[in-house]
Amino acid sequence: MSTYLFTWNPDQWSWETLDDMISKLPNLKPNHQWKTNRKNDIGIGDNFLLMKLGKLSKNEKGIIGCGKIVSDVYTDKDVIKKIAQANFVNLEFSQLSKSPLISLLDLEKIDPNMRWTPEGNGNIVPELTFNKIFNLINQEENATLFEKRIYFPIIADEIDLALNQQSSIHRDEIVQHLLEQYQTTLEKIAKNSNKSILFIAQNMVDWFSAELTKQSDIVAEWQDKYSRTKVKVNGREITNYSLALNSSQDELIEDQNTTYTEGSIKQIIVNAYERNPQARKKCLEHWKYSCQCCSFNFEKTYGELGKDFIHVHHIKPLSEIKTEYILDPITDLVPVCANCHAMIHRKNPPLTIDELKKILATDKTDHT
């Protein structure tokens, strides 16, 4: 089994299906036909690396994809260069990104003797070089670019905010909302991971959808809340979110002292409720951003990155409310950190704030 280098030059060819292929990962491994200058000793089971070239800096050029070759060489029409017949193989991607997974600058350090910017496709990559690259890419993939338990609630909040105003929201719109609302946070994550803020935002939303598909515990509270379908946007299929059963949310918002109606029941596998963003805002104006269980404050710990971040816990679980009720954002909602919020919901029914405080106090006493 050998490894071959393929290239993509965006100056010469606009890859219109790139976003769609990226969106299918990690659940599916998309395929794409690719031209090869090599006719012999290349075929099914071989590895490939895909280089992004063009009029870019060495940090912007680099490996953007990798995977397996899943066909032997065959001939087909080259529509780009308008050649009647050229040699092709089919590439199956296990990793694919718009920005480099490993930049040309780093590749030249890994193997300075390798020609990383060839004009053709099919140059062989030395086994030792490939192993180094493969390990680096998988370290990147396995590394936590962001804390799911912290940022998944943010994504859900953005979806909820949108669904208060419209019937559905698709993946790219959620990404755009994140870019607009959390630019500073995304920039810091991107800087630490050497990724673009667009890549980070897309990665967050795609992982949120992937965990819903896997029915992971980390997204259990939203598992039955949203209905997900595929819609075509700019010629590609992406995930579209709507409430599992559409029902309007009543709001009683008249002045600063008003109460808020929260929770229109949708009968699905379990009852899900819409959340009122105005009520959350009112809660935090009163309680501020420190956890009411353990006093943790994200800004004090993480600086600017954690500013104005906290979970809001509904003291009475919405799943227990059988009719619409009048919510007081100060007495019915309370800010809690991600850890305490998770611990509250480890029990059914959830722990009260006082119950968790006692557990925390007992634990501290046991360790003194």
Side-chain angles (χ1 to χ4, degrees):
M1 180 171 57
S2 301
T3 302
Y4 298 95
L5 185 67
F6 290 78
T7 63
W8 171 51
N9 189 331
D11 298 330
Q12 298 178 2
W13 171 51
S14 177
W15 191 350
E16 295 180 356
T17 60
L18 177 58
D19 287 338
D20 181 54
M21 291 177 66
I22 292 173
S23 71
K24 292 178 179 177
L25 291 163
N27 297 324
L28 298 174
K29 293 182 179 180
N31 281 242
H32 202 290
Q33 179 190 66
W34 219 273
K35 187 178 175 182
T36 175
N37 295 88
R38 181 179 290 272
K39 299 179 183 179
N40 302 316
D41 303 322
I42 183 172
I44 297 173
D46 286 325
N47 301 309
F48 75 86
L49 298 171
L50 179 64
M51 279 286 297
K52 181 179 181 180
L53 302 177
K55 297 176 182 178
L56 302 168
S57 70
K58 287 190 176 183
N59 277 323
E60 295 171 305
K61 296 177 184 178
I63 301 292
I64 62 166
C66 64
K68 292 285 187 181
I69 298 173
V70 291
S71 78
D72 291 322
V73 177
Y74 62 92
T75 58
D76 200 354
K77 183 178 180 179
D78 185 343
V79 294
I80 298 173
K81 294 190 175 181
K82 298 180 181 179
I83 300 172
Q85 286 204 335
N87 295 315
F88 291 89
V89 290
N90 292 335
L91 307 181
E92 181 183 80
F93 288 85
S94 58
Q95 302 273 359
L96 185 59
S97 169
K98 281 187 172 180
S99 56
L101 302 169
I102 303 178
S103 71
L104 175 57
L105 201 62
D106 290 330
L107 289 170
E108 289 177 340
K109 295 175 183 176
I110 293 170
D111 188 344
N113 297 317
M114 178 74 191
R115 188 182 178 192
W116 292 110
T117 58
E119 294 182 3
N121 296 309
N123 286 7
I124 195 163
V125 179
E127 183 177 359
L128 181 60
T129 301
F130 169 72
N131 288 338
K132 290 179 180 178
I133 292 170
F134 180 82
N135 289 334
L136 283 172
I137 289 175
N138 280 279
Q139 284 175 15
E140 281 292 318
E141 175 64 15
N142 294 330
T144 303
L145 294 178
F146 59 93
E147 286 286 347
K148 293 179 183 178
R149 64 183 175 82
I150 292 177
Y151 291 101
F152 278 1
I154 291 177
I155 294 169
D157 283 348
E158 290 301 319
I159 295 173
D160 290 345
L161 285 169
L163 296 183
N164 279 331
Q165 306 296 328
Q166 59 199 60
S167 61
S168 66
I169 181 172
H170 60 67
R171 178 255 198 188
D172 288 1
E173 290 173 324
I174 302 168
V175 168
Q176 187 59 39
H177 285 193
L178 293 177
L179 292 172
E180 292 172 357
Q181 299 297 323
Y182 299 96
Q183 181 178 346
T184 301
T185 298
L186 292 171
E187 284 176 347
K188 291 185 177 181
I189 298 173
K191 184 177 180 180
N192 291 335
S193 60
N194 198 28
K195 306 288 186 184
S196 68
I197 62 171
L198 177 60
F199 178 91
I200 297 298
Q202 290 173 333
N203 192 256
M204 286 180 174
V205 178
D206 291 344
W207 270 112
F208 183 70
S209 180
E211 296 295 350
L212 285 172
T213 299
K214 291 190 290 185
Q215 298 185 341
S216 302
D217 289 343
I218 199 168
V219 291
E221 65 179 290
W222 307 291
Q223 192 67 59
D224 300 303
K225 185 173 186 179
Y226 305 124
S227 174
R228 290 178 299 143
T229 56
K230 292 292 184 181
V231 295
K232 274 203 169 185
V233 177
N234 298 324
R236 58 192 178 86
E237 283 193 346
I238 57 177
T239 302
N240 191 54
Y241 292 79
S242 60
L243 290 170
L245 185 61
N246 190 26
S247 178
S248 61
Q249 177 180 351
D250 295 329
E251 292 182 334
L252 303 176
I253 304 175
E254 297 173 357
D255 56 45
Q256 288 186 341
N257 298 316
T258 191
T259 56
Y260 298 83
T261 299
E262 174 155 343
S264 300
I265 289 183
K266 298 107 180 142
Q267 185 61 47
I268 47 179
I269 298 175
V270 296
N271 287 335
Y273 296 80
E274 294 177 343
R275 275 133 190 220
N276 191 320
Q278 299 298 328
R280 172 187 167 87
K281 179 180 178 183
K282 198 73 175 178
C283 163
L284 294 176
E285 285 176 353
H286 175 80
W287 291 104
K288 307 306 179 186
Y289 290 86
S290 291
C291 176
Q292 296 303 300
C293 292
C294 70
S295 301
F296 182 85
N297 183 287
F298 281 89
E299 184 177 9
K300 288 180 180 178
T301 301
Y302 296 104
E304 183 66 23
L305 180 65
K307 185 178 180 181
D308 294 344
F309 180 83
I310 194 78
H311 289 200
V312 167
H313 171 61
H314 298 70
I315 294 175
K316 183 175 179 62
L318 291 183
S319 58
E320 294 180 6
I321 299 169
K322 303 304 180 185
T323 58
E324 287 192 317
Y325 74 107
I326 302 300
L327 177 143
D328 184 329
I330 295 174
T331 60
D332 293 347
L333 302 178
V334 62
V336 293
C337 70
N339 283 347
C340 287
H341 203 187
M343 293 301 101
I344 285 170
H345 287 282
R346 290 274 288 177
K347 295 291 185 179
N348 189 13
L351 295 172
T352 66
I353 299 298
D354 286 339
E355 285 172 337
L356 188 58
K357 280 184 175 181
K358 288 179 181 178
I359 292 173
L360 288 169
T362 301
D363 184 66
K364 288 178 181 177
T365 302
D366 291 343
H367 289 86
T368 55

